[in-house]
Amino acid sequence: MQFVVDLATAFGSTLRDVAPIILVLVVFQVLVLRQKLPRLKQIVSGFVLVLIGLSLFLVGLNEALFPIGETMAAQLTASNVATTVHEVVWSDYLVVYAFAAAIGFATTIAEPPLIAVALKAESASGGAISAWGLRLAVAVGVAIGVSLGCFRIVTGTPLQWYIIVCYVIVMIQTIFASRAIMPLAYDSGGVTTSTVTVPVVAALGLGLASNIPGRSPLIDGFGLIAFASVFPIMSVLTYSLINSKFERRKNSPPHVGH
Amino acid sequence: MTSILHAIVGRIVDAVRDLTPIVLVIAFFQIVVLQQPFPNLGDTLVGLACVLLGLALFIHGLESGLFPLGEAIAQAFTRKSSLVALLCFAFCLGFGTTIAEPALIAIAAKAAEIVALAGHIENDASVRDAYALNLRLVVAVSVGSAVVIGVIRILKGWPIHVMIISGYLIVTALTFCSPPEIIGIAYDSGGVTTSTITVPLLTALGVGLATSIKGRNPMLDGFGLIAFACLAPIIFILAYNMVA
């Protein structure tokens, strides 16, 4: 019974989040476009499936994954406090970095918006970019990013230096990257941090910042999402560089792009 | 009906593959590292089943509903060829999806708390609420404008890297003039504003526009709307904090 209530609540809140989108779509359709959309029935039923699917997904996450993930983040970050009362040594938290990388990778693979963008990229590129390759590249980026973000919280170093260095690396990579991959790479930064990743990663940051002496959860708890948004850009650009190297080796005479 | 069921069964197989890493990671750290038993194994399994089914339905609905919708709208706008209407639509979509975004509501409240603690605004509930609401409006306007700029870019075929890198330079410059308390929030806010339904819709809209406009390539021009929607809030929050 409780489950049905949860599901109804989740459906209600999903509907509320989506209401502005539906409103904008309907207003423009009725007032501006005034054309019959093709396959309207299929679109509406698809939209309903999206809503039901998202609600089920959220209820399930709340039931199954988030409680364990959040307790684990708290336990892992707390377990070292007793041994390091006086000073924080970054290497005391190796398990935390490993957990951060593993959970960052795993949650990104399951991230629905990333699946959407990857499917679209595969079809728009005519199969030149594989949906799986893209998702793996993004997930590796998030894994490295979240892990480094935890290192930053432990050491208490300023966030902006890391992010600005990342920006510089992205700029350098941009010089060498093919123009076709750039928009997708820049997009991939925003799609990774969503429904699945944010709650678990936020719990991790909050746990670390509140358990390490001298860190404030209010200030140092932030920043992990920023890492998780900028690293995928680098990893996707790297992935495309490696990919084009392989392509060039496979296709001789050298393949000329458009 | 049977074809839908058939498709969904296929999606469930995909969903199992997508969720295996999470299950493995959590099981490994719970059993091997923390050496603790699973709490409420029954609830967890029911929850996992929901996640699987939910993901399968979501992806199926995405391909049969959300993607065609975004493309149909893009095509309808190109046929109508009214630039003003298209840009208004882009702004409303960006603004509307962001203003109601739960993650943004949470982050705005936190930001108000931090800024008040640091003494930049008065530490009073009504002042904090006003600050948080203004911040949400600022971010929503920034995402709306970002989508508008992104759509203009698709129409004109401007190179994205020049625009994004200029954005990075602006962020870097603003960072040097901002108090450290706000930087973390500003950087994080870029990632949280783009939600699960906005992303597929914006992607389909961008690719749809690039496909239906002559001389545009869906790969080169269709993507990038989300990149702008992620960068703009960082710039606007840092700037807002300096003005407020």
Side-chain angles (χ1 to χ4, degrees), chain A:
Chain A
M1 200 56 230
Q2 181 57 39
F3 176 75
V4 178
V5 176
D6 287 347
L7 195 61
T9 322
F11 190 73
S13 65
T14 311
L15 203 60
R16 203 185 50 218
D17 298 344
V18 178
I21 305 184
I22 297 178
L23 190 73
V24 170
L25 292 174
V26 170
V27 165
F28 273 85
Q29 176 60 33
V30 173
L31 296 182
V32 184
L33 292 174
R34 285 192 229 141
Q35 291 169 350
K36 209 166 173 280
L37 288 178
R39 289 177 292 165
L40 187 63
K41 242 173 121 179
Q42 188 202 330
I43 287 178
V44 170
S45 70
F47 216 107
V48 173
L49 276 186
V50 163
L51 289 182
I52 298 174
L54 197 56
S55 318
L56 265 175
F57 187 70
L58 291 176
V59 169
L61 284 179
N62 274 325
E63 197 77 26
L65 293 172
F66 289 161
I68 307 180
E70 282 163 16
T71 331
M72 269 165 93
Q75 284 171 339
L76 284 170
T77 49
S79 55
N80 287 307
V81 170
T83 56
T84 53
V85 195
H86 40 280
E87 208 180 331
V88 181
V89 186
W90 69 270
S91 53
D92 287 346
Y93 290 87
L94 289 178
V95 182
V96 175
Y97 309 143
F99 177 70
I103 202 80
F105 180 89
T107 51
T108 306
I109 289 290
E111 202 63 270
L114 177 62
I115 303 179
V117 169
L119 288 173
K120 205 81 214 171
E122 188 171 89
S123 67
S125 69
I129 290 168
S130 91
W132 253 110
L134 183 69
R135 285 167 65 194
L136 285 177
V138 172
V140 168
V142 174
I144 301 173
V146 177
S147 189
L148 192 67
C150 288
F151 172 81
R152 182 198 76 85
I153 296 179
V154 170
T155 53
T157 32
L159 169 68
Q160 59 268 40
W161 293 119
Y162 291 87
I163 300 295
I164 290 173
V165 168
C166 291
Y167 284 170
V168 173
I169 297 176
V170 171
M171 291 179 202
I172 296 171
Q173 283 183 309
T174 299
I175 302 172
F176 298 103
S178 88
R179 276 194 61 193
I181 194 75
M182 275 177 208
L184 187 62
Y186 295 142
D187 267 5
S188 61
V191 298
T192 50
T193 43
S194 195
T195 334
V196 200
T197 315
V198 170
V200 177
V201 164
L204 195 62
L206 209 65
L208 267 179
S210 30
N211 282 312
I212 295 172
R215 303 282 172 279
S216 141
L218 211 48
I219 293 172
D220 296 297
F222 283 97
L224 281 183
I225 311 284
F227 276 92
S229 320
V230 71
F231 269 80
I233 306 184
M234 293 194 263
S235 62
V236 171
L237 287 173
T238 311
Y239 162 75
S240 95
L241 277 179
I242 297 172
N243 220 6
S244 62
K245 280 252 162 64
F246 273 115
E247 286 292 311
R248 223 167 287 158
R249 210 165 290 167
K250 258 192 288 177
N251 307 343
S252 47
H255 175 81
V256 184
H258 31 252

Side-chain angles (χ1 to χ4, degrees), chain A residues 3 18 20-21 25 28 32 35 42 46 53 60-61 64 72 75 119-120 129 132 135 183 187 190 193 195 218 223 226, chain B residues 17-18 29 34 36 44 47 54 63-64 71 79-80 96-97 114 117 188 191 194 196-197 219-220 224 226-227 230:
Chain A
F3 176 75
V18 178
I21 305 184
L25 292 174
F28 273 85
V32 184
Q35 291 169 350
Q42 188 202 330
L61 284 179
M72 269 165 93
Q75 284 171 339
L119 288 173
K120 205 81 214 171
I129 290 168
W132 253 110
R135 285 167 65 194
D187 267 5
T193 43
T195 334
L218 211 48
Chain B
R17 187 193 57 189
D18 295 337
F29 276 87
L34 291 167
Q36 278 164 359
T44 308
E63 294 214 323
S64 66
E71 274 155 27
R79 268 204 304 275
K80 203 123 193 145
T97 54
I114 293 178
L117 274 184
D188 272 8
T194 42
T196 316
I197 296 191
M219 266 324 275
L220 277 174
I226 297 154
C230 284

Side-chain angles (χ1 to χ4, degrees), chain B:
Chain B
M1 196 61 211
T2 46
S3 69
I4 289 188
L5 276 182
H6 192 76
I8 286 177
V9 170
R11 304 280 180 204
I12 290 181
V13 176
D14 287 348
V16 170
R17 187 193 57 189
D18 295 337
L19 290 165
T20 311
I22 301 195
V23 174
L24 287 182
V25 167
I26 290 196
F28 175 80
F29 276 87
Q30 187 78 359
I31 295 165
V32 179
V33 179
L34 291 167
Q35 298 181 342
Q36 278 164 359
F38 266 97
N40 322 322
L41 195 60
D43 284 357
T44 308
L45 290 178
V46 173
L48 264 182
C50 288
V51 172
L52 276 178
L53 187 61
L55 191 60
L57 291 178
F58 177 83
I59 301 293
H60 187 74
L62 200 72
E63 294 214 323
S64 66
L66 232 45
F67 281 164
L69 177 66
E71 274 155 27
I73 285 185
Q75 277 161 12
F77 271 113
T78 9
R79 268 204 304 275
K80 203 123 193 145
S81 67
S82 159
L83 182 64
V84 179
L86 174 61
L87 295 184
C88 282
F89 175 75
F91 183 85
C92 292
L93 199 62
F95 183 91
T97 54
T98 311
I99 196 77
E101 174 67 38
L104 178 65
I105 298 175
I107 219 167
K110 274 258 168 61
E113 213 177 308
I114 293 178
V115 173
L117 274 184
H120 297 298
I121 59 169
E122 222 174 305
N123 200 350
D124 175 79
S126 63
V127 178
R128 280 204 310 264
D129 287 349
Y131 181 91
L133 182 65
N134 282 336
L135 195 69
R136 273 170 60 198
L137 284 172
V138 166
V139 174
V141 169
S142 74
V143 175
S145 332
V147 179
V148 170
I149 295 175
V151 167
I152 298 180
R153 183 195 79 85
I154 296 176
L155 300 179
K156 302 270 179 199
W158 290 334
I160 190 170
H161 54 280
V162 177
M163 304 174 77
I164 294 287
I165 287 175
S166 328
Y168 286 168
L169 293 177
I170 298 174
V171 170
T172 309
L174 286 173
T175 300
F176 285 111
C177 324
S178 298
E181 307 86 50
I182 203 73
I183 291 174
I185 293 190
Y187 285 179
D188 272 8
S189 69
V192 298
T193 47
T194 42
S195 78
T196 316
I197 296 191
T198 323
V199 167
L201 206 54
L202 280 182
T203 308
L205 181 74
V207 173
L209 277 176
T211 314
S212 43
I213 297 172
K214 249 181 114 181
R216 295 284 165 272
N217 174 324
M219 266 324 275
L220 277 174
D221 306 296
F223 291 90
L225 284 180
I226 297 154
F228 287 111
C230 284
L231 197 54
I234 309 184
I235 297 175
F236 275 61
I237 289 186
L238 290 175
Y240 171 73
N241 190 60
M242 283 164 77
V243 178

